[in-house]
């Protein structure tokens, strides 16, 4: 816990103030204490409902102000399983939306039940669980491989799962799913939002659903629809128990659980949207507004959480503490994290009290913190700007890798020459030192080529443009700039030459990802070349379009074998996963010393880095051991469609090169062919070849 002395000097002293402690329901002998924060309220009531008729109010008790904007009541009516709500009254005026007749969700509730079409009730949850000998795997960041997927979509179609478990928390931890994760070689399952969420009315009008879940209803409650039917029937206590059981089983298998968390906005949308919780409790304090009450929306979702106050960021911090400790979550990916770091003037600062509190809080020590380093407001792009303790989605990496293997190749076909040289890709291979400063090192960057948002890996090499008409927005939604390349035909084709080129392009993309310095993130299904038929914004499709398929053709199995092989090579070769940037002329532990050669085996000249006619590179990385044995690799990269002969360099101390992997192979080769410095290695057009240098 944070000591009183540290609170006085902590940059987040306001949000760590002791009067904000123990908000929500705290169970006591014979009842419970409820504490709610509302700085502007005139009155707050506890409303208790019948256990089965959620519209029947059985009791009402007033809360008493106890200072610091906190209201409190101790009641024997609050017991595990109690259905309840709060009502809040306050002054009228710009920015205030108090209405004592509105039944509101208590923000810290650990359980929810639905009533009617769009109503909800809070539920008191006891939350006990036997974790046994289960412990967090604590995977070191340099060994972390993220696997981003949708809780339901991962297992919904898996043929080895019993029907009752498909698409559920329990299903994700089924032995068949666990075996897939372990066989593939990933370490950390990053789940799209599992906080309780709801579907926007406009999607319901189109017969669609919010599938991804970026529309949070409550920050403490697991989404009930992802639990088994039996757990849902038993109620919120059982839903939470199933979620914890999933975490326990994954931990016992050595797998981490990372949650994609949406604290930047809520499901209350813009003014005129639902008044389900924060808007009715203290709208002015919880949401960013102009003086006249108009929302300042930097999320594109109607509202933005106002983290320049104390109560709103404390709500976020307490939610993180709950999931990290009570539910044993290993890390968080913060959606539109720039929103959380905006101050009272709505400007982003890396030293924002909430961002620093998340990093410095001892209750979050050892928890992985990953920022999506942008939002849609003014000055909203801050890749590289989050400071110590944070890793960040590296969109610069994504764009450069896509450009090199796809849009540059497309351009060269049309113009006869590539638009740029290989220097930009080299920066990304080596850990993006031009984005993340030396103190943070390459592990500050989460490298990715695809994510839930955008084309799948297969669609990236199969479509020039998005095909989103099924989303009901006449193709207006989703990114228009995808840096994709269909290789000669839009979408499905039977042309064997095009299909072969697409397969190699996928191997180049995934190979670059898994052989680069930084933390790699694989999008679930890319290992088997999943397609969404060109839809690059499938957030509203809870269907076969978005659920993973588990029956695969031979070429899809070959791609899986490549990904599995590359992940094994990454584990076995520490030179591929440095923790620090090397310094010229110095010994830096856990860094990789890098040497760069051209296709002739000569040291790369300055001119070659930017020359569009020279897109061939040999990259030698040698580890500087701290915890593992010395290791050195050589990676060849050739970025034009013309084949080339490459001369292996005479690197200092190297007597031979052992072949480990080639993207030109349809199936990964285990032959381990041996070459000497000066030998010539033929490379087909647009391909890669990895060696161990001995």
């Amino acid at each position: 816990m944070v000591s009183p002395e540290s609170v006085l000097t902590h940059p987040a002293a306001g949000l760590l103030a002791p009067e904000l402690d123990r908000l929500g329901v705290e169970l006591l002998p014979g009842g419970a204490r409820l504490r709610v924060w509302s700085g502007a309220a005139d009155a707050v009531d506890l409303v208790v409902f019948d256990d089965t008729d959620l519209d029947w109010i059985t009791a009402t008790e007033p809360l008493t102000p106890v200072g610091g904007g906190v209201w409190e009541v101790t009641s024997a009516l609050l017991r595990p399983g109690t259905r309840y709500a709060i009502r809040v009254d306050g002054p009228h005026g710009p920015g205030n939306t108090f209405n004592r007749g509105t039944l509101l969700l208590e923000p810290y509730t650990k359980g929810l039940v639905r009533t009617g079409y769009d109503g909800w009730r809070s539920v008191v949850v006891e939350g006990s669980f036997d974790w046994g000998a289960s412990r967090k795997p604590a995977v070191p960041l340099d060994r972390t491989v993220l696997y981003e997927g949708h809780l339901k979509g991962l297992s919904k179609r898996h043929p080895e799962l019993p029907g009752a478990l498909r698409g559920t928390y329990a299903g994700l931890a089924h032995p068949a799913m666990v075996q897939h994760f372990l066989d593939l070689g990933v370490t950390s399952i990053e789940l799209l939002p599992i906080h309780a969420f709801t579907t926007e009315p406009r999607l319901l009008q189109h017969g669609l659903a919010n599938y991804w879940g970026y529309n949070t209803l409550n920050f403490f409650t697991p989404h009930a629809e992802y639990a088994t039917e039996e757990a849902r029937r038993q109620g919120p206590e059982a839903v939470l128990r199933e979620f914890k059981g999933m975490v326990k089983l994954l931990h016992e298998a050595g797998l981490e659980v990372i949650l994609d968390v949406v604290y930047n906005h809520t499901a209350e949308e813009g003014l005129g949207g639902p008044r389900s919780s924060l808007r009715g409790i203290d709208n002015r304090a919880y949401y960013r507004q102009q003086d006249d009450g108009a929302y300042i929306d930097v999320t594109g979702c109607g509202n933005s959480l106002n983290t320049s106050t104390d109560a709103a960021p404390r709500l976020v911090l307490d939610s993180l503490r709950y999931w990290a400790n009570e539910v044993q979550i290993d890390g968080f990916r913060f959606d539109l994290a720039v929103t959380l770091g905006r101050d009272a003037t709505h400007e982003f600062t890396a030293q924002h009290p909430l961002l620093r509190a998340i990093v410095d809080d001892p209750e979050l020590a050892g928890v992985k913190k990953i920022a999506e380093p942008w939002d849609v407001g003014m000055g909203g792009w801050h890749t590289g700007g989050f400071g110590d303790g944070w890793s960040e989605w590296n969109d610069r990496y994504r764009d450069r890798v896509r450009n090199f293997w796809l849009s540059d190749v497309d351009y060269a076909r049309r113009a006869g020459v590539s638009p740029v040289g290989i220097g930009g890709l080299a920066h990304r291979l080596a850990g993006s030192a031009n984005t993340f400063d030396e103190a943070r090192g390459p592990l500050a960057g989460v490298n990715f080529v695809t994510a839930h948002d955008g084309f799948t890996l297969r669609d990236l090499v199969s479509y020039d443009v998005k095909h989103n008409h099924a989303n009901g927005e006449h193709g207006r939604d989703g990114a228009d700039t995808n840096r994709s390349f269909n290789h000669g035909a839009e979408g499905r084709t039977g042309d064997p030459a095009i299909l072969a080129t697409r397969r190699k392009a996928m191997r180049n993309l995934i190979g670059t990802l898994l052989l680069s310095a930084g933390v790699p993130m694989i999008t679930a299904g890319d290992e088997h070349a999943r397609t969404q038929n060109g839809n690059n914004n499938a957030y509203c499709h809870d269907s076969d379009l978005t659920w993973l398929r588990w029956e695969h053709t031979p070429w899809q199995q070959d791609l899986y074998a490549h990904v599995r092989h590359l992940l094994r090579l990454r584990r076995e070769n520490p030179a591929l996963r440095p923790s620090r940037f090397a310094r010229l002329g110095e010994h830096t532990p856990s860094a990789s010393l890098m040497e760069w050669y051209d296709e002739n085996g000569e040291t790369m000249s300055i001119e070659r880095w930017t020359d569009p006619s020279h897109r061939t590179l040999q990259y030698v990385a040698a580890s500087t051991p701290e915890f593992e044995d010395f290791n050195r690799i050589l990676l060849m990269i050739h970025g034009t469609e013309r084949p080339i002969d490459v001369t292996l360099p005479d690197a200092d101390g190297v007597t031979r090169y052992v072949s480990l992997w080639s993207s030109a192979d349809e199936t990964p080769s285990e032959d381990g062919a041996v070459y000497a410095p000066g030998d010539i290695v033929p490379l087909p057009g647009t391909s890669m070849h990895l060696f161990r240098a001995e």
Side-chain angles (χ1 to χ4, degrees), residues 146-151 153-154 190-193 210-215 258-262 264-265 301 333-336 370-374 393 398 402 446-457 459 468 471 477-479 482 521-526 530-532 534-541 545-548:
L146 299 167
Y147 185 80
E148 188 206 37
H150 188 282
L151 189 286
L154 282 166
E190 181 178 311
L191 296 173
L192 268 64
N210 188 319
Y211 174 66
W212 286 350
Y214 293 89
N215 197 43
I258 312 292
L259 299 186
D260 191 335
V261 286
V262 188
N264 55 79
H265 76 281
C301 300
R333 179 266 187 188
F334 294 81
D335 182 65
L336 300 183
I370 303 168
E372 183 182 39
W374 54 79
W393 272 27
R398 174 199 64 199
R402 288 186 180 190
V446 172
N447 296 332
F448 65 107
V449 175
T450 65
H452 67 275
D453 186 3
F455 280 145
T456 66
L457 180 68
D459 289 355
N468 294 1
N471 296 359
D477 65 303
N482 296 286
M521 184 184 78
I522 299 171
T523 304
D526 277 353
R530 182 177 74 90
T531 180
Q532 291 178 170
N535 192 319
N536 75 348
N537 191 34
Y539 75 102
C540 54
H541 295 281
L545 181 71
T546 51
W547 303 336
L548 267 63

Side-chain angles (χ1 to χ4, degrees), residues 61-90:
E61 294 190 16
L63 278 68
T64 301
V66 294
V70 175
W71 299 72
E72 182 179 298
V73 65
T74 300
S75 174
L77 299 173
L78 291 172
R79 64 190 188 282
T82 296
R83 274 66 169 156
Y84 71 102
I86 58 174
R87 293 192 299 213
V88 183
D89 201 4

Side-chain angles (χ1 to χ4, degrees), residues 40 43 83 106 138 189 235 303 337 349 361 410 415 480 517 523 584 633 663:
R83 274 66 169 156
E106 186 263 299
I189 313 305
N303 65 63
T349 170
D361 190 343
D410 181 21
D480 291 314
T523 304
L584 188 63
I633 60 93
S663 70

Side-chain angles (χ1 to χ4, degrees), residues 284-348:
R284 173 65 80 179
Y286 277 111
Y287 294 118
R288 294 186 180 274
Q289 300 173 35
Q290 305 283 5
D291 292 341
D292 63 358
Y295 277 2
I296 298 171
D297 178 14
V298 297
T299 68
C301 300
N303 65 63
S304 304
L305 202 69
N306 188 1
T307 55
S308 67
T309 63
D310 292 336
R314 180 58 181 267
L315 176 65
V316 173
L317 192 65
D318 286 344
S319 172
L320 294 170
R321 290 168 166 176
Y322 170 74
W323 290 100
N325 297 300
E326 297 299 320
V327 195
Q328 291 291 290
I329 293 302
D330 302 278
F332 303 93
R333 179 266 187 188
F334 294 81
D335 182 65
L336 300 183
V338 166
T339 300
L340 304 181
R342 290 182 181 268
D343 60 20
T345 67
H346 317 298
E347 298 291 329
F348 173 80

Side-chain angles (χ1 to χ4, degrees), residues 152-473:
K152 180 177 182 178
L154 282 166
S155 67
K156 180 63 177 175
R157 293 171 56 95
H158 202 298
E160 295 182 33
L161 268 63
L165 298 187
R166 292 175 186 167
T168 69
Y169 297 125
L172 188 72
H174 185 275
M177 294 299 301
V178 171
Q179 184 57 43
H180 173 70
F181 302 143
L182 296 178
D183 182 71
L184 182 59
V186 298
T187 67
S188 309
I189 313 305
E190 181 178 311
L191 296 173
L192 268 64
I194 57 78
H195 287 172
F197 65 88
T198 188
T199 292
E200 299 89 329
R202 65 175 181 82
L203 287 178
L204 293 173
Q205 292 171 3
H206 289 287
L208 299 170
N210 188 319
Y211 174 66
W212 286 350
Y214 293 89
N215 197 43
T216 308
L217 192 66
N218 172 266
F219 296 141
F220 289 83
T221 308
H223 193 60
E225 282 72 11
Y226 292 158
T228 57
E229 184 177 349
E230 176 63 19
R232 296 198 306 272
R233 185 186 62 79
Q234 294 178 26
E237 196 82 61
V239 170
L240 178 59
R241 189 163 54 247
E242 182 178 317
F243 187 96
K244 290 180 177 179
M246 173 195 75
V247 175
K248 179 180 180 180
L249 289 172
L250 291 173
H251 281 178
E252 289 174 349
L255 295 163
E256 293 185 319
V257 181
I258 312 292
L259 299 186
D260 191 335
V261 286
V262 188
Y263 294 118
N264 55 79
H265 76 281
T266 74
E268 292 184 304
E269 301 185 38
L271 286 176
R275 181 169 49 201
S276 56
S277 186
L278 303 181
R279 176 174 289 145
I281 295 171
D282 196 328
N283 184 56
R284 173 65 80 179
Y286 277 111
Y287 294 118
R288 294 186 180 274
Q289 300 173 35
Q290 305 283 5
D291 292 341
D292 63 358
Y295 277 2
I296 298 171
D297 178 14
V298 297
T299 68
C301 300
N303 65 63
S304 304
L305 202 69
N306 188 1
T307 55
S308 67
T309 63
D310 292 336
R314 180 58 181 267
L315 176 65
V316 173
L317 192 65
D318 286 344
S319 172
L320 294 170
R321 290 168 166 176
Y322 170 74
W323 290 100
N325 297 300
E326 297 299 320
V327 195
Q328 291 291 290
I329 293 302
D330 302 278
F332 303 93
R333 179 266 187 188
F334 294 81
D335 182 65
L336 300 183
V338 166
T339 300
L340 304 181
R342 290 182 181 268
D343 60 20
T345 67
H346 317 298
E347 298 291 329
F348 173 80
T349 170
Q351 299 306 313
H352 189 285
L354 175 57
L355 299 185
R356 297 319 308 164
I358 290 170
V359 169
D360 297 337
D361 190 343
E363 294 193 44
L364 299 177
V367 172
K368 292 180 170 69
K369 297 119 180 154
I370 303 168
E372 183 182 39
W374 54 79
D375 65 15
V376 301
M378 291 292 291
W381 184 80
H382 287 277
T383 306
F386 268 71
D388 294 342
W390 289 92
S391 295
E392 303 174 36
W393 272 27
N394 190 352
D395 57 320
R396 288 182 171 180
Y397 179 95
R398 174 199 64 199
D399 294 348
R400 178 58 67 181
V401 173
R402 288 186 180 190
N403 281 347
F404 186 83
W405 291 117
L406 299 175
S407 55
D408 287 0
V409 175
D410 181 21
Y411 182 95
R413 282 194 185 183
R414 301 171 190 272
V417 63
S418 298
V420 296
I422 203 168
L425 182 70
H427 278 299
R428 303 303 161 196
L429 281 170
S432 298
N434 55 349
T435 300
F436 304 105
D437 63 43
E438 182 179 300
R440 298 178 66 195
L443 299 180
V446 172
N447 296 332
F448 65 107
V449 175
T450 65
H452 67 275
D453 186 3
F455 280 145
T456 66
L457 180 68
R458 180 174 175 180
D459 289 355
L460 199 60
V461 304
S462 304
Y463 294 91
D464 279 351
V465 296
K466 65 187 181 184
H467 295 264
N468 294 1
H469 294 288
N471 296 359
E473 299 183 46

Side-chain angles (χ1 to χ4, degrees), residues 495-663:
D495 188 313
I498 291 176
L499 292 173
T501 306
R502 287 178 177 177
R503 292 194 297 270
K504 180 152 60 72
M506 284 189 277
R507 295 193 294 269
N508 286 330
L509 290 163
I510 202 75
T512 304
L513 174 66
L514 298 180
L515 300 178
S516 294
V519 180
M521 184 184 78
I522 299 171
T523 304
D526 277 353
E527 71 272 27
H528 283 126
R530 182 177 74 90
T531 180
Q532 291 178 170
N533 300 326
N535 192 319
N536 75 348
N537 191 34
Y539 75 102
C540 54
H541 295 281
D542 185 358
S543 67
D544 285 355
L545 181 71
T546 51
W547 303 336
L548 267 63
R549 299 191 177 202
W550 293 93
E551 299 82 19
H552 305 113
T553 62
W555 75 264
Q556 290 175 303
Q557 294 169 4
D558 288 341
L559 179 62
Y560 177 86
H562 274 281
V563 178
R564 184 173 180 269
H565 184 72
L566 285 162
L567 284 171
R568 178 175 64 80
L569 293 176
R570 186 177 182 88
R571 290 194 300 274
E572 294 175 350
N573 292 275
L576 292 169
R577 40 184 176 80
S579 299
R580 301 183 179 95
F581 290 126
R583 293 183 178 181
L584 188 63
E586 297 183 21
H587 177 83
T588 304
S590 294
S592 287
L593 295 173
M594 300 165 190
E595 299 174 356
W596 308 89
Y597 300 92
D598 62 20
E599 66 272 24
N600 301 312
E602 304 292 335
T603 299
M604 281 284 285
S605 65
I606 294 175
E607 294 76 19
R608 287 265 176 137
W609 287 112
T610 56
D611 187 345
S613 65
H614 293 282
R615 285 168 55 92
T616 307
L617 176 70
Q618 298 189 79
Y619 163 52
V620 175
S623 68
T624 50
E626 185 175 14
F627 306 109
E628 302 178 75
D629 292 337
F630 173 75
N631 170 244
R632 182 160 42 182
I633 60 93
L634 179 145
L635 179 62
M636 291 179 178
I637 298 173
H638 177 50
T640 72
E641 294 194 289
R642 297 182 302 275
I644 192 171
D645 289 336
V646 178
T647 302
L648 287 163
D650 188 11
D652 185 37
V654 175
T655 59
R656 66 176 196 164
Y657 295 95
V658 180
S659 176
L660 299 178
W661 175 77
S662 170
S663 70

Side-chain angles (χ1 to χ4, degrees), residues 101-123:
T102 303
L103 297 167
L104 303 168
L105 292 176
E106 186 263 299
Y108 282 73
T109 187
K110 309 300 191 299
L112 294 175
V113 289
R114 184 188 290 271
T115 172
Y117 170 67
D118 59 356
W120 304 86
R121 301 288 183 258
S122 300
V123 181

